[in-house]
Amino acid sequence: MSTNNSFNPFRMAQEQFDHVADLIGLDQSTKELLRVPMREYHFSIPVKMDDGHVKVFRGYRCQHNDARGPAKGGIRFHPQETIDTVRALSMWMTWKTAVVNLPLGGGKGGVICDPHNLSMREQEQICRGWVRQIAKNIGPVSDVPAPDVMTNAQHMLWMMDEFETIHGGRYPGFITGKPVGMGGSLGRTEATGYGVVYTIREALKELKIDPKSTTASIQGFGNVAQYAIELYTQLGGTVIAVSCWDQKDQTSYTYKKNDGIELKGLLEITDRFGGIDKNKAQDLGYEILDGDQWIEQEVDILIPAAIENQVTGETIQKVSKKVKIIAEGANGPTTPEADAVINERNIFIIPDFLANAGGVTCSYFEQVQSNTNYFWEKEEVLGKLDTKMTTAFIAVNELVRSKNLYGRDAAYVIAISRVAQAVKDRGWV
Ligand code: NAD
């Protein structure tokens, strides 16, 4: 694993923003408005623990921008959560909803806690406490939360129940990522991974490469990676390596098979956190390499789909000359130093906030279904998802071609221009 203690995601998000703001000549007031969240809430959540003592957890919500519609973004439970991570992620959500042209803004929330060490009752109390602290400042028409790192459908349901208790009504559109049958959408589980592959499919068309002739290496084997592998394999591609975190050894490993990993078999030996059983993988004939080696594989496509800050100035030097596409399933996997090299080497980048926008797009579909209380079939959801992702990809790609822009810059130009236009049209600047 590549780690860098001085890595600050908010600085990186601002650096990316400043670069494009200058590129499009954004005026000073709009720049000032968009380079920080419009609103952020910091609060304490007292929770009576199972042993009777009260522990105070720290919670956050940032609403980066809501000019195009209600803020939208997940809530993370993480022991190393920081306000700067939440700020950065809220900003990236604004660009993500804008680049796929959803009528939504960007938000993010978090609680500093480690669910591994909390009972379900304690987790429920944190969820309810988080909502109580912020219930007046979020809601279906202002800010709509969702699951994120270490939060799931059950957490969303507790939060919805608390919100409805406070406001006295049924508001399923308050939150997304709910269980199917309780206001959730079919297709949400697949949405992010499939979305990544819809964009890869379009990139391969652009490069005139047959997916069947391609190979890929992936960092991560969780929700995003698993469904990306499923669809990419259906298109005829071959995944030769995946990398994931080993909880027991507290390190990561790359699992490699030259003739292609077998998804179903690997899933049978994977825990719910996306960790593969090393010994069983060895029995199945996988070569076990260092965690970092996913990036060194001689493949056509690299898909970082685990954590941030992985494709760096250092690791990019190890990327094979064969690599033609980097599709960012994870949020913030690539640093600006690595971007410079990717651009110079003419590798086709599908930036995070475009590549992994399938998740929020499906969350938007969930909001629409919840608000109308009418639920669609899975095929309808996935069909609409494909249309949205493909349309967004084509718009970005046309800008790449017509203005000879780097892929990440082109996606930013579209997203930032849309948000800047909205704040201008509203008369905010
Ligand atoms: P997940 O928790 O289901 O899986 C994460 C995977 O990454 C696991 O396989 C884990 O073992 C692996 N991992 C963790 N640290 C690692 C390391 N150092 N080296 C190698 N592997 C490591 O998470 P997910 O939902 O698949 O999300 C993955 C990324 O995609 C995150 O950056 C997330 O923010 C982003 N994302 C997810 C969604 C979504 O809908 N799930 C949407 C948009 C973006």
Side-chain angles (χ1 to χ4, degrees):
M1 177 176 62
S2 304
T3 52
N4 175 356
N5 290 336
S6 64
F7 174 70
N8 180 324
F10 187 46
R11 292 283 97 76
M12 183 168 121
Q14 287 189 317
E15 207 175 306
Q16 291 169 345
F17 170 76
D18 290 343
H19 169 64
V20 176
D22 290 344
L23 201 71
I24 60 176
L26 204 62
D27 63 274
Q28 193 54 31
S29 323
T30 311
K31 202 172 152 176
E32 266 175 45
L33 184 66
L34 297 183
R35 77 189 300 280
V36 288
M38 285 198 77
R39 287 177 291 275
E40 53 182 60
Y41 303 92
H42 303 216
F43 42 87
S44 298
I45 308 170
V47 169
K48 187 174 267 188
M49 306 298 279
D50 291 349
D51 67 3
H53 90 285
V54 173
K55 189 170 161 127
V56 180
F57 294 89
R58 201 73 193 138
Y60 305 111
R61 184 72 181 172
C62 286
Q63 294 160 353
H64 173 261
N65 192 278
D66 56 5
R68 289 172 43 83
K72 183 88 194 81
I75 302 167
R76 300 155 52 108
F77 282 1
H78 201 279
Q80 271 96 43
E81 190 64 292
T82 68
I83 185 62
D84 272 349
T85 313
V86 182
R87 285 173 176 144
L89 290 163
S90 72
M91 191 167 178
W92 282 322
M93 284 307 296
T94 302
W95 313 139
K96 197 179 291 193
T97 54
V99 82
V100 274
N101 216 0
L102 304 176
L104 298 171
K108 206 75 172 191
V111 178
I112 305 175
C113 68
D114 187 352
H116 293 104
N117 307 325
L118 296 165
S119 70
M120 291 309 277
R121 193 199 66 83
E122 290 165 343
Q123 292 183 43
E124 176 179 349
Q125 292 314 309
I126 293 178
C127 289
R128 292 184 184 277
W130 189 91
V131 171
R132 279 198 297 276
Q133 292 307 319
I134 189 134
K136 292 189 194 72
N137 305 103
I138 53 177
V141 293
S142 56
D143 181 2
V144 181
D148 205 288
V149 174
M150 288 201 262
T151 54
N152 59 35
Q154 177 63 71
H155 297 107
M156 299 305 108
L157 212 49
W158 286 324
M159 289 185 168
M160 182 182 82
D161 187 67
E162 191 67 23
F163 185 86
E164 292 182 337
T165 304
I166 292 168
H167 290 279
R170 288 288 171 255
Y171 300 99
F174 155 65
I175 208 160
T176 62
K178 304 179 292 294
V180 172
M182 285 298 284
S185 177
L186 292 168
R188 177 61 187 89
T189 317
E190 295 88 346
T192 309
Y194 277 21
V196 172
V197 177
Y198 295 143
T199 62
I200 291 175
R201 182 195 63 202
E202 295 306 308
L204 288 170
K205 266 189 217 164
E206 170 69 18
L207 299 173
K208 300 192 172 40
I209 299 172
D210 180 358
K212 294 189 185 69
S213 70
T214 63
T215 52
S217 174
I218 303 186
Q219 189 189 37
F221 196 60
N223 172 258
V224 178
Q226 290 172 11
Y227 285 98
I229 294 168
E230 183 176 277
L231 191 60
Y232 173 67
T233 313
Q234 279 171 23
L235 294 181
T238 307
V239 177
I240 65 150
V242 294
S243 159
C244 63
W245 185 253
D246 189 302
Q247 191 67 28
K248 206 165 109 240
D249 295 357
Q250 286 293 299
T251 186
S252 56
Y253 296 106
T254 299
Y255 299 82
K256 183 174 179 187
K257 223 177 211 179
N258 283 328
D259 54 354
I261 67 151
E262 205 263 308
L263 181 61
K264 200 162 158 281
L266 262 193
L267 285 175
E268 281 165 13
I269 58 165
T270 301
D271 64 29
R272 66 195 167 93
F273 301 108
I276 297 171
D277 185 316
K278 193 161 50 94
N279 296 330
K280 289 185 182 156
Q282 227 153 7
D283 293 344
L284 291 176
Y286 283 87
E287 200 182 334
I288 317 261
L289 309 169
D290 281 350
D292 278 347
Q293 291 203 17
W294 71 278
I295 208 170
E296 301 178 24
Q297 301 306 310
E298 270 206 30
V299 289
D300 304 285
I301 305 164
L302 289 177
I303 310 177
I307 52 170
E308 65 284 346
N309 196 31
Q310 295 302 296
V311 187
T312 63
E314 191 190 329
T315 60
I316 190 69
Q317 303 301 339
K318 300 176 184 163
V319 168
S320 152
K321 298 257 178 305
K322 191 172 191 273
V323 170
K324 297 170 193 75
I325 296 173
I326 298 179
E328 297 178 336
N331 286 317
T334 305
T335 65
E337 297 75 47
D339 265 332
V341 180
I342 296 168
N343 192 6
E344 191 186 288
R345 283 176 53 178
N346 215 12
I347 297 173
F348 197 109
I349 183 92
I350 312 176
D352 48 5
F353 64 101
L354 171 62
N356 69 34
V360 72
T361 303
C362 196
S363 292
Y364 163 63
F365 295 157
E366 179 178 334
Q367 255 182 290
V368 172
Q369 294 170 83
S370 284
N371 289 334
T372 56
N373 209 7
Y374 175 73
F375 290 85
W376 313 337
E377 297 303 323
K378 190 167 168 182
E379 286 64 38
E380 188 176 354
V381 174
L382 294 177
K384 284 182 158 74
L385 180 68
D386 193 349
T387 306
K388 273 271 172 209
M389 295 298 294
T390 303
T391 307
F393 176 91
I394 290 171
V396 171
N397 195 44
E398 273 172 7
L399 202 58
V400 168
R401 278 210 228 159
S402 63
K403 298 269 192 274
N404 197 21
L405 281 179
Y406 179 53
R408 189 182 316 279
D409 291 350
Y412 263 119
V413 166
I414 289 180
I416 293 173
S417 303
R418 282 182 182 155
V419 180
Q421 190 64 45
V423 296
K424 189 161 171 279
D425 289 349
R426 283 179 179 274
W428 290 356
V429 288

